[in-house]
Amino acid sequence: MIDGETALARCAQLIEAARRHGADAADAAARAQSSEGVSVRLGQLEEVERSESEEIALRVFVGKRSASIETSDFTPAALDDLAERAVAMARVAPEDQHAGLAPQDLLDRGTAPPLDLEDAGEPGPELLRERALAAEDAARAVEGVTNSEGGGASFGRSLFALATSEGFGRAYGATHHSLSAVVIGGQGLAMQRDYAMRTARHFADLPSPAEIGRLAGERTVARLNPEIPKGGRMPVLFDPRVGASLVGHLVGAMAGPAIASGSSFLLGREGETIFPEAIEVIEDPHCPRGLRSRPFDGEGLGCVPRKLVERGVLGGWLLDIASANKLGLTPTGHASRGGGTPGVSASNLHIPAGSVSRAELMADVAEGVLVTELAGQGVNPVTGDYSRGASGFRIVNGEIAGPIAEFTIAGNLLAMFAALRAADDLEMHRAVNVPTLRVDGMTVAGS
């Protein structure tokens, strides 16, 4: 895989070619990644897969017109042709008064602390196979597990480089290690399936394969013989595995493009109290070894820690250059970059732990549900209406009373946010980390 210096040289070459062909401004983003994964099933090797890819994307501006194009052909002739075609496309594109590059005074100056995103070690396929087998073996050893969909282990390395005609040029790399196990319990129509999976930048931060496997097996067996719950309005508790999705809905509604287009249920609520005072949502792009840590965003702006929600109050929007210009605001360093026009994304997020245990959080629940899995995409980003299929566990008189499945939970995100309470069981190993969350007054539809 290429290094950062080579990637930045390619970006600079593309920008120079674009300027030579008539672009007023340009930026180029290069991505490279390699990954290797091994999967096993029932103790036998199932698949060994390796992939490598390198791409570079060019965005050019001719006045207020712009165009984007990408390639994986890095020969000098191909890059020059790409630049020429991009400029030709921009000349016939419609004008956009809000698009543009980040000005020099907003560009990152290398102030981010060391992020430690790269693991020096690189496991080979045999070691990955051993990890996958150990995870699956531990899962199959749990009493009640009757079959397996397999164990998996993988390693990957990635690089992102960005250069602009305003003088920015930086790159950073990252690695990831993953372990997983998926098993089945029960027989025939009574079969249930669950999994455990962890990803980390450094292998040292992963649980052991035995722990991953044991957790997958225990989760699966706990789901056996589910009932369909009775419907009604009741408290719903979200396991940390699924509670993070509520933060995802919040962030999506805070994205500048959604605000600028008027398609967010949070429109007009900046600075309002939308959560209880005890709830905060914190973003930290500089978290060491974080899964979404980054020193700069997709347009070259620095990323800084901030509170998206502070003491229940909604903070400012998440803005790239274009959405900030549309709204007359300052960009916030949240641009994400794929192959073309930048989008908006947040980095590492978490809701801090509450002051009560999970058992205490559910102690006064006479009848409720603990959700451990969600299905479907029944969330309206404009109104905040929320309705999703779910499975999990029934809560009766403050205690877990058995598995349940095939039910729906519904509400409105604004009402859900206003009722949110958090337990103290926060663990910081995902990109979005939350403790167990409780929302009273949701509608559960079952039998």
Side-chain angles (χ1 to χ4, degrees):
M1 195 175 77
I2 62 169
D3 57 24
E5 184 177 347
T6 302
L8 285 171
R10 289 175 177 171
C11 290
Q13 182 181 352
L14 260 183
I15 292 171
E16 180 187 7
R19 297 297 295 270
R20 189 170 61 251
H21 287 294
D24 297 316
D27 65 6
R31 289 185 178 274
Q33 52 191 4
S34 64
S35 63
E36 187 163 25
V38 173
S39 59
V40 299
R41 182 174 180 272
L42 299 176
Q44 300 296 316
L45 182 65
E46 186 94 339
E47 185 178 36
V48 178
E49 187 176 39
R50 181 172 179 84
S51 65
E52 295 188 14
S53 64
E54 296 179 12
E55 303 91 23
I56 190 167
L58 173 68
R59 182 172 57 143
V60 302
F61 294 88
V62 178
K64 289 296 182 179
R65 306 173 191 271
S66 67
S68 299
I69 192 168
E70 64 180 302
T71 186
S72 56
D73 185 346
F74 306 112
T75 61
L79 294 179
D80 187 74
D81 178 67
L82 185 82
E84 184 177 15
R85 285 188 288 124
V87 172
M89 291 166 58
R91 287 195 170 109
V92 297
E95 288 193 350
D96 183 347
Q97 299 300 317
H98 306 294
L101 299 182
Q104 286 188 356
D105 61 328
L106 293 180
L107 292 172
D108 179 55
R109 304 300 179 189
T111 57
L115 302 181
D116 196 16
L117 302 182
E118 293 189 85
D119 192 342
E122 184 165 338
E126 185 57 38
L127 184 53
L128 292 174
R129 177 176 176 272
E130 291 175 7
R131 294 173 183 173
L133 284 169
E136 189 195 34
D137 287 347
R140 294 174 66 198
V142 175
E143 185 176 356
V145 171
T146 57
N147 205 340
S148 172
E149 291 190 6
S154 66
F155 170 80
R157 191 176 294 278
S158 63
L159 175 80
F160 177 68
L162 176 69
T164 79
S165 57
E166 293 294 319
F168 181 86
R170 292 185 62 201
Y172 66 94
T175 57
H176 74 266
H177 299 260
S178 292
L179 271 173
S180 65
V182 186
V183 289
I184 296 168
Q187 302 288 343
L189 296 177
M191 288 191 299
Q192 293 292 322
R193 165 191 177 278
D194 212 325
Y195 72 96
M197 179 179 181
R198 281 282 286 273
T199 298
R201 294 296 185 192
H202 289 245
F203 177 71
D205 297 329
L206 283 181
S208 68
E211 185 178 345
I212 291 290
R214 176 188 56 78
L215 183 58
E218 291 175 350
R219 285 174 172 173
T220 298
V221 172
R223 295 178 61 149
L224 292 175
N225 304 311
E227 298 179 348
I228 299 176
K230 295 179 181 179
R233 289 177 63 84
M234 63 186 71
V236 173
L237 275 72
F238 292 83
D239 184 84
R241 281 202 289 171
V242 297
S245 64
L246 298 181
V247 178
H249 299 316
L250 170 73
V251 169
M254 294 179 70
I259 299 298
S261 64
S263 56
S264 167
F265 68 89
L266 293 179
L267 190 66
R269 296 185 180 274
E270 183 181 12
E272 292 187 7
T273 299
I274 65 169
F275 287 91
E277 185 178 359
I279 297 296
E280 296 192 327
V281 180
I282 299 172
E283 180 184 21
D284 184 6
H286 298 161
C287 176
R289 302 187 179 188
L291 295 180
R292 291 186 186 168
S293 295
R294 57 189 183 186
F296 55 87
D297 79 346
E299 293 177 314
L301 277 68
C303 302
V304 296
R306 59 179 291 191
K307 291 184 177 181
L308 306 187
V309 173
E310 183 171 9
R311 300 183 66 181
V313 177
L314 181 67
W317 312 125
L318 312 183
L319 305 171
D320 61 353
I321 295 294
S323 61
N325 288 342
K326 288 179 183 178
L327 295 168
L329 300 171
T330 301
T332 57
H334 284 94
S336 60
R337 196 64 180 267
T341 303
V344 167
S345 68
S347 60
N348 309 293
L349 299 165
H350 75 276
I351 292 178
S355 59
V356 299
S357 68
R358 177 148 137 172
E360 292 170 321
L361 190 66
M362 69 172 75
D364 66 340
V365 176
E367 182 75 33
V369 298
L370 168 64
V371 175
T372 59
E373 184 175 27
L374 290 167
Q377 301 296 323
V379 180
N380 187 321
V382 179
T383 65
D385 289 337
Y386 181 98
S387 178
R388 299 191 67 181
S391 60
F393 298 89
R394 186 184 177 198
I395 302 171
V396 178
N397 295 325
E399 301 285 343
I400 297 295
I404 50 177
E406 299 180 33
F407 63 97
T408 300
I409 56 173
N412 182 275
L413 286 168
L414 284 172
M416 292 164 64
F417 292 164
L420 200 69
R421 286 190 276 167
D424 65 0
D425 55 346
L426 176 68
E427 294 182 349
M428 298 288 287
H429 58 77
R430 301 178 176 91
V432 181
N433 298 282
V434 302
T436 299
L437 301 174
R438 173 175 167 174
V439 178
D440 287 357
M442 293 193 71
T443 299
V444 175
S447 60

